[in-house]
């Protein structure tokens, strides 16, 4: 079956959309994970979808590596972007972030 | 696999055969421009200013000028300077001439003061440049193995395809060039932040790993020091519009362009690599700057991986046109939508990797074929345009 989002690592909690999807649409995940998730937002091609619930302060994982921190609780199927994720490095300012790495 | 190139006296191989018109100082820009306008088959450097810069930055500027003249795509150089004692010591003809001449290629220095001023210097430069172009045209292309190939790789207008179908394809190209005994450079220090551990694992020695961490730490410290959220600077607005959320995310996608081969060393800005293999150059991510930095470090060609999802329009203006001056800039995208929008600029797409219709290895093979074609004389799309963005040198600052 054709997948609409790609997970780049088994442990990633976000996937990248390969097509635009609409809220409530069922999104088949491919790549390193095989499952489906219902979109909770309209999400555009290239943007990220949460593959599972992520608590506030939880690390966002992509490519098998941390790419940021959840600044609020994120539900599976939600659009994951600057409105709910902060950076951790190079002076990234985010409520739950540590800023520059020691 | 061979490419057809021009043999140079120092053993390097050019993929183009230009005569370079090079002003030693910004004061000589107009002279260089007039010569370049008159003489066919030349490339002209329009120098950025050196005034009010400290010694380390003036050294950088001089390294760019010397490096462009030494680039293997340059057959000969006309260098225009002022009389001894005018301006900073780094830009004296007596200082620049030996650094360029030591690579054995023809070099004519036109001393503006000795020629009797600007307009006479233009005349002298035209006469010399025409002679050098004519002589250079006698050099024939010959076949050379890939171990003589040296490329730079850059990514820009990054979007989420960059880390999936764009940069991994470039990484495969790097693996192929380096695997055949050639050389590849990558850079963009700020976009290693968050991905340095992955890169450091590939360092050939603890010293190389230490140099890499050192370069990244210095840049991250500078970024944190300005007191602005890095996300208001990098990722750039186009990256964010396309779906990249943080600098770390961008970095992890960006380093895929360096492939999987060992990291041989960390170069200073515009430093020529001391050996073959993969090198990291401490440099600035700007599209208007980095291709020139690679050219000054000796790259024959610069491959630019463009995401492009954040580019709003059909037929968008491209990020940079031949800022390498002497090294062709070759655009490749991993985003099928970008390719559709900007086919006039983009030499190849690896977008099929996104959906699994093409493997990363197949994409790398196609890129290598393109590299060999362009090295052998086929034009990149950017080379069909008579426009060149101004040079932007990566300075440390402050400017005084």
């Amino acid at each position: 079956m054709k997948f609409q989002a790609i997970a780049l690592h088994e442990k990633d909690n976000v996937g990248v959309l390969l097509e635009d999807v609409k809220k409530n649409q069922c999104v088949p995940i491919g790549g390193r994970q095989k499952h489906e998730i219902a979109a909770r937002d309209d999400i555009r091609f290239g943007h990220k979808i949460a593959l599972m619930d992520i608590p506030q302060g939880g690390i966002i994982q992509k490519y098998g590596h941390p790419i940021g921190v959840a600044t609020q609780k994120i539900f599976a199927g939600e659009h994951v972007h600057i409105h709910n994720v902060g950076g951790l490095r190079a002076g990234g300012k985010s409520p739950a972030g540590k800023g520059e790495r020691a | 696999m061979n490419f057809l190139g021009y043999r140079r006296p120092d053993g390097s191989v050019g993929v183009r055969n230009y005569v370079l018109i090079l002003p030693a100082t910004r004061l000589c820009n107009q002279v260089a421009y007039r010569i370049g306008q008159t003489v066919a088959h030349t490339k002209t450097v329009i120098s950025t200013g050196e005034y009010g810069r400290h010694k380390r930055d003036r050294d950088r500027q001089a390294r760019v000028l010397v490096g462009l003249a030494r680039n293997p795509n340059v057959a000969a150089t006309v260098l225009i300077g002022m009389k001894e004692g005018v301006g900073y010591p780094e830009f004296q003809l007596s200082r620049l001439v030996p650094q360029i001449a030591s690579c054995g290629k023809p070099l004519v220095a036109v001393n503006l003061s000795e020629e009797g001023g600007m307009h006479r210097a233009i005349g002298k430069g035209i006469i010399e440049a025409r002679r050098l172009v004519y002589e250079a045209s006698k050099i024939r292309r010959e076949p050379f193995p890939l171990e003589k190939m040296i490329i730079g790789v850059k990514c820009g207008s990054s979007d989420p395809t960059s880390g999936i179908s764009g940069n991994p394809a470039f990484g495969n190209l790097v693996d192929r060039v380096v695997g055949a005994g050639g050389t590849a450079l990558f850079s963009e220090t700020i976009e290693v932040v968050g991905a340095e551990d992955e890169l450091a694992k590939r360092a050939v020695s603890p010293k190389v790993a230490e140099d890499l961490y050192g370069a990244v730490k210095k840049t991250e410290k500078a970024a944190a020091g300005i007191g602005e959220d890095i996300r208001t600077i990098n990722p750039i607005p186009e990256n964010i519009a396309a779906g990249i959320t943080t600098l770390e995310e961008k970095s992890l996608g960006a380093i895929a362009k360096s492939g999987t081969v060992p990291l041989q060393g960390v170069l200073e800005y515009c430093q020529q690599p001391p050996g073959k293999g993969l090198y990291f150059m401490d440099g600035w991510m700007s599209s208007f700057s980095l291709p020139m930095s690679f050219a000054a470090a000796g790259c024959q060609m610069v491959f630019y991986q463009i995401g492009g999802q954040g580019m709003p329009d059909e037929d968008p203006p491209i990020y940079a046109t031949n800022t390498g001056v002497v090294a062709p800039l070759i655009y490749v995208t991993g985003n099928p939508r970008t390719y559709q929008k900007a086919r006039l600029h983009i030499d190849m797409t690896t977008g099929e990797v996104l959906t699994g219709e093409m493997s990363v290895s197949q994409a790398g093979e196609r890129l290598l074929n393109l590299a060999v074609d362009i090295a052998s004389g086929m034009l990149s799309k950017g080379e069909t345009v008579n426009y060149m963005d101004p040079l932007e040198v990566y300075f440390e600052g402050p400017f005084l």
Side-chain angles (χ1 to χ4, degrees), chain B residues 282-318:
Chain B
D282 186 15
W284 179 26
M285 49 66 92
S286 168
S287 300
F288 295 88
S289 175
L290 191 56
M292 175 203 65
S293 319
F294 285 143
C299 290
Q300 299 150 332
M301 298 177 283
V302 180
F303 283 81
Y304 189 121
Q305 198 288 318
I306 186 163
Q309 184 66 21
M311 299 168 93
D313 308 309
E314 282 299 311
D315 187 20
I318 202 70

mmCIF file of all heavy atoms in Angstrom, chain B residues 282-318:
data_model
loop_
_atom_site.group_PDB
_atom_site.id
_atom_site.type_symbol
_atom_site.label_atom_id
_atom_site.label_comp_id
_atom_site.label_asym_id
_atom_site.label_seq_id
_atom_site.Cartn_x
_atom_site.Cartn_y
_atom_site.Cartn_z
ATOM 1 N N ASP B 282 35.549 24.782 7.556
ATOM 2 C CA ASP B 282 34.845 25.682 8.470
ATOM 3 C C ASP B 282 34.360 26.885 7.654
ATOM 4 O O ASP B 282 35.169 27.682 7.178
ATOM 5 C CB ASP B 282 35.823 26.118 9.579
ATOM 6 C CG ASP B 282 35.142 26.928 10.662
ATOM 7 O OD1 ASP B 282 33.894 26.921 10.724
ATOM 8 O OD2 ASP B 282 35.858 27.566 11.460
ATOM 9 N N GLY B 283 33.049 26.979 7.460
ATOM 10 C CA GLY B 283 32.558 28.039 6.579
ATOM 11 C C GLY B 283 31.122 28.444 6.857
ATOM 12 O O GLY B 283 30.445 27.882 7.720
ATOM 13 N N TRP B 284 30.695 29.400 6.078
ATOM 14 C CA TRP B 284 29.392 30.048 6.258
ATOM 15 C C TRP B 284 28.394 29.413 5.293
ATOM 16 O O TRP B 284 28.716 29.129 4.150
ATOM 17 C CB TRP B 284 29.582 31.531 5.944
ATOM 18 C CG TRP B 284 28.390 32.418 6.043
ATOM 19 C CD1 TRP B 284 27.275 32.248 6.797
ATOM 20 C CD2 TRP B 284 28.219 33.665 5.356
ATOM 21 N NE1 TRP B 284 26.408 33.299 6.637
ATOM 22 C CE2 TRP B 284 26.969 34.186 5.754
ATOM 23 C CE3 TRP B 284 28.993 34.392 4.453
ATOM 24 C CZ2 TRP B 284 26.487 35.394 5.273
ATOM 25 C CZ3 TRP B 284 28.515 35.596 3.977
ATOM 26 C CH2 TRP B 284 27.268 36.102 4.389
ATOM 27 N N MET B 285 27.139 29.274 5.729
ATOM 28 C CA MET B 285 26.153 28.566 4.914
ATOM 29 C C MET B 285 25.624 29.375 3.726
ATOM 30 O O MET B 285 24.961 28.825 2.860
ATOM 31 C CB MET B 285 24.968 28.103 5.783
ATOM 32 C CG MET B 285 24.351 29.132 6.706
ATOM 33 S SD MET B 285 23.489 30.541 5.943
ATOM 34 C CE MET B 285 21.823 29.932 5.861
ATOM 35 N N SER B 286 25.937 30.663 3.667
ATOM 36 C CA SER B 286 25.315 31.514 2.636
ATOM 37 C C SER B 286 25.508 30.976 1.224
ATOM 38 O O SER B 286 26.617 30.672 0.795
ATOM 39 C CB SER B 286 25.894 32.932 2.711
ATOM 40 O OG SER B 286 25.505 33.646 1.549
ATOM 41 N N SER B 287 24.404 30.916 0.492
ATOM 42 C CA SER B 287 24.446 30.433 -0.890
ATOM 43 C C SER B 287 25.277 31.346 -1.782
ATOM 44 O O SER B 287 25.773 30.937 -2.817
ATOM 45 C CB SER B 287 23.026 30.369 -1.455
ATOM 46 O OG SER B 287 22.243 29.503 -0.681
ATOM 47 N N PHE B 288 25.392 32.606 -1.384
ATOM 48 C CA PHE B 288 26.133 33.569 -2.189
ATOM 49 C C PHE B 288 27.611 33.562 -1.821
ATOM 50 O O PHE B 288 28.394 34.287 -2.389
ATOM 51 C CB PHE B 288 25.545 34.971 -2.011
ATOM 52 C CG PHE B 288 24.151 35.057 -2.549
ATOM 53 C CD1 PHE B 288 23.067 34.740 -1.753
ATOM 54 C CD2 PHE B 288 23.944 35.403 -3.873
ATOM 55 C CE1 PHE B 288 21.780 34.785 -2.257
ATOM 56 C CE2 PHE B 288 22.655 35.451 -4.385
ATOM 57 C CZ PHE B 288 21.573 35.145 -3.583
ATOM 58 N N SER B 289 27.958 32.764 -0.830
ATOM 59 C CA SER B 289 29.335 32.771 -0.347
ATOM 60 C C SER B 289 30.025 31.425 -0.506
ATOM 61 O O SER B 289 31.141 31.344 -1.000
ATOM 62 C CB SER B 289 29.330 33.166 1.142
ATOM 63 O OG SER B 289 30.609 33.086 1.699
ATOM 64 N N LEU B 290 29.355 30.373 -0.085
ATOM 65 C CA LEU B 290 30.054 29.096 0.039
ATOM 66 C C LEU B 290 30.562 28.511 -1.282
ATOM 67 O O LEU B 290 31.682 27.992 -1.327
ATOM 68 C CB LEU B 290 29.162 28.086 0.778
ATOM 69 C CG LEU B 290 29.872 26.811 1.206
ATOM 70 C CD1 LEU B 290 31.080 27.084 2.075
ATOM 71 C CD2 LEU B 290 28.915 25.873 1.914
ATOM 72 N N PRO B 291 29.792 28.589 -2.381
ATOM 73 C CA PRO B 291 30.344 28.042 -3.630
ATOM 74 C C PRO B 291 31.681 28.697 -4.004
ATOM 75 O O PRO B 291 32.600 28.032 -4.472
ATOM 76 C CB PRO B 291 29.253 28.347 -4.661
ATOM 77 C CG PRO B 291 27.995 28.372 -3.843
ATOM 78 C CD PRO B 291 28.399 29.018 -2.544
ATOM 79 N N MET B 292 31.795 30.000 -3.742
ATOM 80 C CA MET B 292 33.063 30.685 -4.001
ATOM 81 C C MET B 292 34.158 30.152 -3.083
ATOM 82 O O MET B 292 35.309 29.977 -3.497
ATOM 83 C CB MET B 292 32.885 32.176 -3.753
ATOM 84 C CG MET B 292 34.164 32.951 -3.885
ATOM 85 S SD MET B 292 34.072 34.498 -2.979
ATOM 86 C CE MET B 292 33.929 33.918 -1.303
ATOM 87 N N SER B 293 33.800 29.858 -1.824
ATOM 88 C CA SER B 293 34.802 29.354 -0.871
ATOM 89 C C SER B 293 35.329 28.002 -1.329
ATOM 90 O O SER B 293 36.525 27.726 -1.216
ATOM 91 C CB SER B 293 34.181 29.209 0.524
ATOM 92 O OG SER B 293 33.349 30.300 0.817
ATOM 93 N N PHE B 294 34.448 27.165 -1.835
ATOM 94 C CA PHE B 294 34.891 25.862 -2.360
ATOM 95 C C PHE B 294 35.806 26.066 -3.567
ATOM 96 O O PHE B 294 36.818 25.385 -3.718
ATOM 97 C CB PHE B 294 33.690 25.008 -2.774
ATOM 98 C CG PHE B 294 32.925 24.402 -1.624
ATOM 99 C CD1 PHE B 294 31.539 24.286 -1.682
ATOM 100 C CD2 PHE B 294 33.577 23.907 -0.507
ATOM 101 C CE1 PHE B 294 30.824 23.704 -0.649
ATOM 102 C CE2 PHE B 294 32.865 23.326 0.541
ATOM 103 C CZ PHE B 294 31.484 23.228 0.465
ATOM 104 N N ALA B 295 35.420 27.003 -4.446
ATOM 105 C CA ALA B 295 36.249 27.259 -5.631
ATOM 106 C C ALA B 295 37.634 27.734 -5.202
ATOM 107 O O ALA B 295 38.644 27.312 -5.759
ATOM 108 C CB ALA B 295 35.574 28.290 -6.532
ATOM 109 N N ALA B 296 37.683 28.593 -4.184
ATOM 110 C CA ALA B 296 38.976 29.100 -3.713
ATOM 111 C C ALA B 296 39.797 28.001 -3.042
ATOM 112 O O ALA B 296 41.012 28.099 -2.949
ATOM 113 C CB ALA B 296 38.760 30.263 -2.752
ATOM 114 N N ALA B 297 39.129 26.961 -2.576
ATOM 115 C CA ALA B 297 39.845 25.826 -1.973
ATOM 116 C C ALA B 297 40.243 24.804 -3.042
ATOM 117 O O ALA B 297 40.816 23.774 -2.728
ATOM 118 C CB ALA B 297 38.979 25.162 -0.901
ATOM 119 N N GLY B 298 39.921 25.088 -4.296
ATOM 120 C CA GLY B 298 40.400 24.235 -5.389
ATOM 121 C C GLY B 298 39.367 23.319 -6.014
ATOM 122 O O GLY B 298 39.719 22.501 -6.860
ATOM 123 N N CYS B 299 38.102 23.443 -5.622
ATOM 124 C CA CYS B 299 37.085 22.551 -6.210
ATOM 125 C C CYS B 299 36.859 22.890 -7.686
ATOM 126 O O CYS B 299 36.777 24.058 -8.058
ATOM 127 C CB CYS B 299 35.760 22.672 -5.456
ATOM 128 S SG CYS B 299 35.841 21.974 -3.808
ATOM 129 N N GLN B 300 36.714 21.863 -8.498
ATOM 130 C CA GLN B 300 36.427 22.058 -9.928
ATOM 131 C C GLN B 300 34.953 22.347 -10.164
ATOM 132 O O GLN B 300 34.570 23.022 -11.117
ATOM 133 C CB GLN B 300 36.789 20.781 -10.705
ATOM 134 C CG GLN B 300 38.245 20.400 -10.627
ATOM 135 C CD GLN B 300 38.420 18.899 -10.737
ATOM 136 O OE1 GLN B 300 37.533 18.132 -10.359
ATOM 137 N NE2 GLN B 300 39.566 18.485 -11.235
ATOM 138 N N MET B 301 34.103 21.764 -9.302
ATOM 139 C CA MET B 301 32.651 21.914 -9.467
ATOM 140 C C MET B 301 32.025 21.970 -8.070
ATOM 141 O O MET B 301 32.547 21.371 -7.134
ATOM 142 C CB MET B 301 32.047 20.694 -10.191
ATOM 143 C CG MET B 301 32.553 20.477 -11.591
ATOM 144 S SD MET B 301 31.849 18.968 -12.319
ATOM 145 C CE MET B 301 32.819 17.708 -11.523
ATOM 146 N N VAL B 302 30.900 22.678 -7.981
ATOM 147 C CA VAL B 302 30.177 22.716 -6.717
ATOM 148 C C VAL B 302 28.757 22.200 -6.959
ATOM 149 O O VAL B 302 28.041 22.711 -7.826
ATOM 150 C CB VAL B 302 30.137 24.145 -6.124
ATOM 151 C CG1 VAL B 302 29.374 24.141 -4.806
ATOM 152 C CG2 VAL B 302 31.551 24.677 -5.915
ATOM 153 N N PHE B 303 28.383 21.184 -6.210
ATOM 154 C CA PHE B 303 27.040 20.605 -6.309
ATOM 155 C C PHE B 303 26.168 21.187 -5.214
ATOM 156 O O PHE B 303 26.525 21.137 -4.037
ATOM 157 C CB PHE B 303 27.111 19.078 -6.200
ATOM 158 C CG PHE B 303 27.592 18.447 -7.470
ATOM 159 C CD1 PHE B 303 28.944 18.392 -7.753
ATOM 160 C CD2 PHE B 303 26.691 17.944 -8.397
ATOM 161 C CE1 PHE B 303 29.404 17.845 -8.936
ATOM 162 C CE2 PHE B 303 27.130 17.397 -9.588
ATOM 163 C CZ PHE B 303 28.498 17.345 -9.858
ATOM 164 N N TYR B 304 25.050 21.739 -5.631
ATOM 165 C CA TYR B 304 24.162 22.435 -4.711
ATOM 166 C C TYR B 304 22.856 21.655 -4.633
ATOM 167 O O TYR B 304 22.122 21.546 -5.610
ATOM 168 C CB TYR B 304 23.917 23.844 -5.257
ATOM 169 C CG TYR B 304 23.194 24.799 -4.331
ATOM 170 C CD1 TYR B 304 23.786 25.994 -3.933
ATOM 171 C CD2 TYR B 304 21.907 24.521 -3.871
ATOM 172 C CE1 TYR B 304 23.117 26.878 -3.110
ATOM 173 C CE2 TYR B 304 21.245 25.392 -3.038
ATOM 174 C CZ TYR B 304 21.853 26.577 -2.660
ATOM 175 O OH TYR B 304 21.194 27.459 -1.843
ATOM 176 N N GLN B 305 22.587 21.106 -3.463
ATOM 177 C CA GLN B 305 21.342 20.377 -3.239
ATOM 178 C C GLN B 305 20.291 21.373 -2.778
ATOM 179 O O GLN B 305 20.441 21.989 -1.720
ATOM 180 C CB GLN B 305 21.562 19.286 -2.179
ATOM 181 C CG GLN B 305 20.510 18.202 -2.171
ATOM 182 C CD GLN B 305 19.190 18.685 -1.612
ATOM 183 O OE1 GLN B 305 19.148 19.392 -0.624
ATOM 184 N NE2 GLN B 305 18.113 18.311 -2.250
ATOM 185 N N ILE B 306 19.265 21.550 -3.558
ATOM 186 C CA ILE B 306 18.240 22.541 -3.207
ATOM 187 C C ILE B 306 16.940 21.822 -2.845
ATOM 188 O O ILE B 306 16.487 20.946 -3.573
ATOM 189 C CB ILE B 306 18.051 23.571 -4.348
ATOM 190 C CG1 ILE B 306 17.100 24.686 -3.912
ATOM 191 C CG2 ILE B 306 17.596 22.940 -5.654
ATOM 192 C CD1 ILE B 306 17.176 25.919 -4.792
ATOM 193 N N GLY B 307 16.413 22.146 -1.661
ATOM 194 C CA GLY B 307 15.108 21.608 -1.269
ATOM 195 C C GLY B 307 14.040 22.348 -2.054
ATOM 196 O O GLY B 307 13.423 21.828 -2.966
ATOM 197 N N GLY B 308 13.848 23.623 -1.684
ATOM 198 C CA GLY B 308 13.070 24.529 -2.520
ATOM 199 C C GLY B 308 11.585 24.583 -2.247
ATOM 200 O O GLY B 308 10.885 25.386 -2.858
ATOM 201 N N GLN B 309 11.115 23.752 -1.307
ATOM 202 C CA GLN B 309 9.674 23.777 -1.032
ATOM 203 C C GLN B 309 9.221 25.156 -0.561
ATOM 204 O O GLN B 309 8.093 25.562 -0.805
ATOM 205 C CB GLN B 309 9.323 22.708 0.018
ATOM 206 C CG GLN B 309 7.847 22.557 0.332
ATOM 207 C CD GLN B 309 7.042 22.034 -0.853
ATOM 208 O OE1 GLN B 309 7.587 21.436 -1.767
ATOM 209 N NE2 GLN B 309 5.745 22.261 -0.840
ATOM 210 N N GLY B 310 10.129 25.863 0.124
ATOM 211 C CA GLY B 310 9.779 27.187 0.646
ATOM 212 C C GLY B 310 9.834 28.290 -0.401
ATOM 213 O O GLY B 310 9.500 29.436 -0.125
ATOM 214 N N MET B 311 10.270 27.958 -1.622
ATOM 215 C CA MET B 311 10.269 28.975 -2.688
ATOM 216 C C MET B 311 8.836 29.124 -3.177
ATOM 217 O O MET B 311 8.230 28.143 -3.605
ATOM 218 C CB MET B 311 11.180 28.547 -3.841
ATOM 219 C CG MET B 311 12.615 28.377 -3.410
ATOM 220 S SD MET B 311 13.590 27.539 -4.669
ATOM 221 C CE MET B 311 14.223 28.904 -5.557
ATOM 222 N N PRO B 312 8.298 30.327 -3.115
ATOM 223 C CA PRO B 312 6.856 30.483 -3.280
ATOM 224 C C PRO B 312 6.338 30.359 -4.703
ATOM 225 O O PRO B 312 5.199 29.997 -4.919
ATOM 226 C CB PRO B 312 6.596 31.886 -2.745
ATOM 227 C CG PRO B 312 7.884 32.612 -2.915
ATOM 228 C CD PRO B 312 8.971 31.590 -2.817
ATOM 229 N N ASP B 313 7.153 30.690 -5.702
ATOM 230 C CA ASP B 313 6.599 30.927 -7.027
ATOM 231 C C ASP B 313 6.963 29.846 -8.031
ATOM 232 O O ASP B 313 7.917 29.121 -7.873
ATOM 233 C CB ASP B 313 7.131 32.257 -7.578
ATOM 234 C CG ASP B 313 6.924 33.386 -6.600
ATOM 235 O OD1 ASP B 313 5.780 33.527 -6.140
ATOM 236 O OD2 ASP B 313 7.891 34.082 -6.273
ATOM 237 N N GLU B 314 6.179 29.826 -9.101
ATOM 238 C CA GLU B 314 6.610 29.152 -10.325
ATOM 239 C C GLU B 314 7.796 29.941 -10.877
ATOM 240 O O GLU B 314 7.837 31.161 -10.749
ATOM 241 C CB GLU B 314 5.478 29.186 -11.359
ATOM 242 C CG GLU B 314 4.381 28.173 -11.115
ATOM 243 C CD GLU B 314 4.873 26.738 -11.163
ATOM 244 O OE1 GLU B 314 5.571 26.378 -12.124
ATOM 245 O OE2 GLU B 314 4.551 25.976 -10.225
ATOM 246 N N ASP B 315 8.733 29.261 -11.509
ATOM 247 C CA ASP B 315 9.911 29.911 -12.083
ATOM 248 C C ASP B 315 10.534 30.892 -11.080
ATOM 249 O O ASP B 315 10.641 32.094 -11.333
ATOM 250 C CB ASP B 315 9.540 30.637 -13.387
ATOM 251 C CG ASP B 315 10.761 31.195 -14.108
ATOM 252 O OD1 ASP B 315 11.892 30.726 -13.833
ATOM 253 O OD2 ASP B 315 10.589 32.104 -14.924
ATOM 254 N N PRO B 316 10.930 30.411 -9.920
ATOM 255 C CA PRO B 316 11.462 31.304 -8.875
ATOM 256 C C PRO B 316 12.858 31.794 -9.233
ATOM 257 O O PRO B 316 13.562 31.144 -10.011
ATOM 258 C CB PRO B 316 11.537 30.382 -7.654
ATOM 259 C CG PRO B 316 11.734 29.021 -8.236
ATOM 260 C CD PRO B 316 11.010 29.001 -9.538
ATOM 261 N N PRO B 317 13.264 32.938 -8.675
ATOM 262 C CA PRO B 317 14.672 33.325 -8.814
ATOM 263 C C PRO B 317 15.521 32.299 -8.074
ATOM 264 O O PRO B 317 15.132 31.832 -7.003
ATOM 265 C CB PRO B 317 14.742 34.698 -8.135
ATOM 266 C CG PRO B 317 13.551 34.774 -7.257
ATOM 267 C CD PRO B 317 12.509 33.860 -7.828
ATOM 268 N N ILE B 318 16.638 31.937 -8.644
ATOM 269 C CA ILE B 318 17.454 30.909 -8.016
ATOM 270 C C ILE B 318 18.333 31.557 -6.952
ATOM 271 O O ILE B 318 18.576 32.748 -6.979
ATOM 272 C CB ILE B 318 18.291 30.156 -9.085
ATOM 273 C CG1 ILE B 318 18.706 28.783 -8.583
ATOM 274 C CG2 ILE B 318 19.488 30.973 -9.524
ATOM 275 C CD1 ILE B 318 17.569 27.799 -8.465
#
